[in-house]
Amino acid sequence: MEKIYNYYKETVTAYTRRAENLKRKIHLLGSIRLLLVAGLIAMIWLFKSEDWKVLAGIVVVFMIPFIALMVWHTRLFARKCYAEALAQLCRNELNGLDYDFSAFDGAPEKSSAEHSFSLDLDLFGDHSLFQSINRTVTYIGKEKLADWFIHPLTDKAMILKRQDAIRELEAYTQLRQHFYVTGILQPGNKNDQRLVSLLSNEAPSFINSILWKVLVWLIPAIWVVVIAGCVLNLLPASAAGILFGASFVISYLNAVQITKLHNSLDKTEQILHTYSDLIKSIEKENFRSSELTDIYKQFVNDGQTASSVIKKLSKHIGALNQRFSAIGVILNILTLRDTRMAMKLEKWKLAHGHDTERWFEALGLFDAYCSLGGFAFNHPGYIYPEIADTYFKMEGKALGHPLLRRDVCVKNDIDIEKSPWFLIITGANMAGKSTYLRTVGVNYLLSCIGAPVCAGSLTVYPAQMVTSLRTSDSLVSNESYFFAELKRLKMIIDRLQQGEKLFIILDEILKGTNSIDKQKGSLALMKQLVANQACGIIATHDLALGELEKEFPNQIKNYRFEADITNEELTFSYQLREGIAQNMNACFLMKKMGITV
């Protein structure tokens, strides 16, 4: 971890220094431009009595370096913004290493109580697992990564392919950071998805019109002839005026159609330019893993790159965006520029519109992979789990929760070798049962999405995971806590009876009813789960469940978290031990707080 900390600190220092140097250069260029303007005004004042050609020459002499400095200023400013964004990314990563992920999007809108485990495992929202991993910069990438969390893989071959891709991207630190900074300077949003349908919608209007094909070349040619004739005194100046009026009418005959086309693509120039730069960063690399190679192949085909094609589209849209500027109006009258750009857009759609969905999908896929590659880089002590072939197996040593501080995280083992098999975890309040369940669940999920896990070693079979740790009542749907819990348990039983292979994690089942019903119901549920060949973990305060090990010695194993009371002080080891819990602490804590027991 020290190496990772030092890398980010050194990068922050280097790019902060670079940004400061660029600021000084930009300030210097601004001062020089100001001097050029002052010099131009002074020279015009000194030579105001000279011929207009002399004055025009003075303006040209001063304007050429002024424009050159403006271009240079724009490039330096872009480099400064890049350096500042990269330094800020590394500061945010340093904060993330210390468990402050507030700079990153946790996608709280994705959390759902109806999902099999999303709410129980704190997958989304502030201080969530998704927030700790998410570094996506495209809307499609974020959706892709969230979908991986919501629908983890159950196919061994696909998990191994994803592991291979994440391993490779882990080493591409500069590429991942460049990708992030390039995207974050012009972040996308939900509206970017409409680009796919807009660009793939082939509805040519101008490109199939022979009249407009002729006019876009005929009008400029006539202007050349008329201007040449006027300069050579072969035509009267009125000819240019007549042509101006005619060209104006012709150039805006199709204004309604062009405006409709322009409005559909308005404000997409910059995001397309950004997508082009993001794709270009992928096209420059030679990947080894099959997943990343497949992504690369989506962008490079027959010597043509997707980045260059998309950048060309961005330029066409940018040109159309200038149609209401003074220079845009003049160029439209002289060359039918608006119609020309509309025809180029239609031509682009016909040639490449069908490719956009494939390109954007591949870009989002790479974006999601970058997040997991960064997660692997930030946790060099994590390991890639082995994937078992048969249901069920989950064997691991020293499992820890990725969101618990590494200096206080107590790690525990897990051992499930076959099906049916259940671990029954008993223990006192605050002894660590719920944390252990979430630790197992989170590492199981990471395993099934192909990511490294917080463990010394781990082997898992990728079954569907379902949990019931945080059931709540609902005033809106008029559901009691107990009824909501029953619905959850029925969903599990139904899925098992339909033949699904599940990994089940339950915490204090049937706690919404009285203790007698709770005990009877819990025992009956456990027997039904075993009968359905299921596997999982159940945490409970009900010590009677521990007696099931005697009835099912080959399917159930008891473990415990103990609370130790020594010299009127309560201590916790948070270490998982075999057997049924011996010490309970509710009455002790009530006495300590002055509540009469």
Side-chain angles (χ1 to χ4, degrees):
M1 288 305 300
E2 183 179 357
K3 183 179 178 181
I4 306 300
Y5 272 98
N6 288 337
Y7 172 81
Y8 284 128
K9 288 176 181 177
E10 289 168 4
T11 305
V12 168
T13 301
Y15 278 88
T16 300
R17 187 183 300 119
R18 183 177 299 184
E20 291 299 324
N21 290 336
L22 289 168
K23 281 181 184 178
R24 285 192 288 271
K25 289 182 180 179
I26 291 170
H27 180 72
L28 178 61
L29 291 183
S31 300
I32 295 173
R33 292 206 319 273
L34 186 60
L35 289 174
L36 284 173
V37 172
L40 176 60
I41 293 172
M43 291 297 288
I44 290 176
W45 174 259
L46 289 174
F47 293 93
K48 61 183 178 181
S49 58
E50 297 294 329
D51 185 71
W52 70 271
K53 294 179 181 178
V54 174
L55 295 176
I58 292 171
V59 171
V60 170
V61 167
F62 277 86
M63 287 303 295
I64 289 176
F66 183 87
I67 293 172
L69 288 173
M70 281 290 294
V71 173
W72 193 9
H73 173 276
T74 302
R75 291 178 180 174
L76 289 180
F77 185 77
R79 288 168 56 190
K80 178 186 77 73
C81 291
Y82 183 95
E84 289 174 340
L86 185 50
Q88 187 57 50
L89 167 63
C90 291
R91 290 190 196 96
N92 293 338
E93 292 290 7
L94 284 170
N95 291 336
L97 294 179
D98 291 328
Y99 305 95
D100 176 7
F101 311 111
S102 55
F104 305 110
D105 185 0
E109 71 280 2
K110 297 293 183 181
S111 186
S112 170
E114 301 301 318
H115 186 258
S116 296
F117 52 82
S118 167
L119 187 64
D120 288 340
L121 299 184
D122 301 305
L123 290 195
F124 301 104
D126 292 338
H127 313 295
S128 66
L129 183 67
F130 185 82
Q131 189 180 41
S132 72
I133 294 175
N134 179 31
R135 303 295 183 271
T136 56
V137 291
T138 65
Y139 178 78
I140 301 171
K142 176 186 168 183
E143 291 294 301
K144 181 72 66 177
L145 183 63
D147 187 65
W148 288 356
F149 276 70
I150 295 169
H151 303 105
L153 296 172
T154 56
D155 182 86
K156 177 179 178 178
M158 293 179 67
I159 294 174
L160 294 179
K161 285 175 66 176
R162 196 177 284 175
Q163 283 184 357
D164 197 28
I166 295 168
R167 274 195 187 95
E168 184 174 12
L169 265 182
E170 178 184 352
Y172 279 84
T173 307
Q174 291 184 340
L175 169 62
R176 287 186 285 98
Q177 291 184 339
H178 172 72
F179 190 91
Y180 179 89
V181 172
T182 301
I184 208 65
L185 289 173
Q186 185 64 42
N189 55 50
K190 189 174 182 179
N191 291 329
D192 296 342
Q193 280 198 315
R194 70 187 177 96
L195 279 172
V196 175
S197 58
L198 287 173
L199 297 176
S200 59
N201 180 23
E202 300 175 3
S205 175
F206 302 106
I207 199 170
N208 289 338
S209 171
I210 297 176
L211 175 63
W212 285 112
K213 283 183 178 179
V214 171
L215 286 175
V216 293
W217 295 107
L218 182 61
I219 295 297
I222 294 174
W223 268 109
V224 170
V225 171
V226 169
I227 292 173
C230 291
V231 171
L232 298 174
N233 293 322
L234 299 176
L235 291 174
S238 59
I242 294 171
L243 179 59
F244 185 89
S247 296
F248 182 86
V249 172
I250 293 171
S251 62
Y252 287 100
L253 278 175
N254 52 15
V256 174
Q257 291 169 285
I258 292 176
T259 298
K260 184 179 179 180
L261 176 65
H262 178 218
N263 289 341
S264 68
L265 295 171
D266 191 26
K267 298 179 181 178
T268 61
E269 174 194 2
Q270 189 55 54
I271 192 62
L272 286 171
H273 189 278
T274 299
Y275 277 14
S276 173
D277 288 343
L278 291 174
I279 292 172
K280 188 175 182 180
S281 68
I282 303 170
E283 294 167 346
K284 289 180 178 179
E285 303 296 338
N286 292 314
F287 297 109
R288 171 193 52 78
S289 64
S290 60
E291 282 287 278
L292 298 183
T293 301
D294 288 344
I295 292 173
Y296 172 85
K297 288 178 180 178
Q298 299 300 317
F299 300 130
V300 181
N301 190 20
D302 296 330
Q304 191 176 46
T305 62
S307 62
S308 61
V309 173
I310 294 174
K311 184 158 285 187
K312 185 183 294 185
L313 173 64
S314 176
K315 289 179 180 178
H316 293 340
I317 295 172
L320 204 58
N321 287 340
Q322 299 168 3
R323 61 192 296 251
F324 295 121
S325 65
I327 189 69
V329 171
I330 293 171
L331 287 174
N332 191 36
I333 293 171
L334 296 178
T335 66
L336 299 188
R337 184 170 183 257
D338 290 358
T339 303
R340 192 183 299 272
M341 289 302 108
M343 292 175 71
K344 286 184 176 181
L345 284 171
E346 290 178 354
K347 184 178 180 181
W348 191 98
K349 281 187 176 185
L350 288 171
H352 307 291
H354 59 282
D355 294 320
T356 53
E357 184 174 2
R358 172 170 56 87
W359 289 341
F360 289 178
E361 179 73 13
L363 179 63
L365 190 60
F366 187 83
D367 195 10
Y369 268 122
C370 279
S371 289
L372 292 174
F375 175 71
F377 177 81
N378 286 342
H379 299 89
Y382 287 14
I383 57 101
Y384 288 88
E386 295 183 18
I387 308 301
D389 293 307
T390 55
Y391 180 83
F392 181 82
K393 189 171 187 178
M394 186 171 184
E395 294 180 330
K397 300 292 185 184
L399 272 68
H401 199 295
L403 301 185
L404 284 178
R405 299 189 67 88
R406 63 186 68 87
D407 54 340
V408 298
C409 179
V410 177
K411 298 183 177 181
N412 285 288
D413 302 341
I414 186 170
D415 187 6
I416 303 177
E417 297 181 350
K418 61 179 182 177
S419 70
W421 192 266
F422 271 90
L423 308 183
I424 295 182
I425 315 287
T426 53
N429 295 298
M430 305 184 298
K433 300 190 304 298
S434 296
T435 299
Y436 178 72
L437 297 186
R438 289 186 172 85
T439 297
V440 171
V442 164
N443 282 292
Y444 188 82
L445 172 65
L446 289 173
S447 300
C448 294
I449 65 176
V453 298
C454 182
S457 65
L458 185 62
T459 301
V460 302
Y461 175 85
Q464 294 283 359
M465 178 168 56
V466 61
T467 66
S468 182
L469 312 179
R470 193 179 282 155
T471 310
S472 61
D473 55 6
S474 173
L475 293 175
V476 176
S477 56
N478 195 29
E479 282 186 358
S480 69
Y481 180 95
F482 182 63
F483 185 68
E485 190 175 18
L486 286 180
K487 281 177 59 180
R488 189 79 168 181
L489 296 176
K490 184 179 185 304
M491 176 267 289
I492 294 172
I493 296 298
D494 288 345
R495 290 175 65 176
L496 286 171
Q497 291 177 346
Q498 290 168 11
E500 284 194 58
K501 303 294 187 183
L502 300 181
F503 176 51
I504 301 165
I505 302 178
L506 306 177
D507 189 8
E508 203 60 50
I509 52 178
L510 301 177
K511 51 185 172 287
T513 187
N514 66 77
S515 57
I516 297 176
D517 277 347
K518 174 180 180 297
Q519 188 175 103
K520 288 181 179 179
S522 298
L523 290 168
L525 176 66
M526 281 301 305
K527 292 178 181 180
Q528 192 169 2
L529 292 175
V530 170
N532 280 282
Q533 304 296 304
C535 292
I537 311 173
I538 293 182
T540 180
H541 288 101
D542 193 343
L543 302 184
L545 287 184
E547 299 300 316
L548 286 170
E549 183 180 345
K550 297 176 183 177
E551 186 176 348
F552 301 98
N554 296 318
Q555 291 87 26
I556 291 175
K557 179 73 174 176
N558 288 322
Y559 287 92
R560 59 195 168 102
F561 284 98
E562 290 289 8
D564 300 314
I565 303 173
T566 307
N567 298 326
E568 291 299 307
E569 291 297 329
L570 189 65
T571 59
F572 301 99
S573 68
Y574 304 113
Q575 288 289 349
L576 188 66
R577 313 173 194 177
E578 290 189 11
I580 303 173
Q582 302 300 310
N583 299 324
M584 294 296 163
N585 60 7
C587 292
F588 175 82
L589 288 173
M590 291 172 71
K591 288 178 181 178
K592 291 282 283 185
M593 296 178 69
I595 302 172
T596 302
V597 178

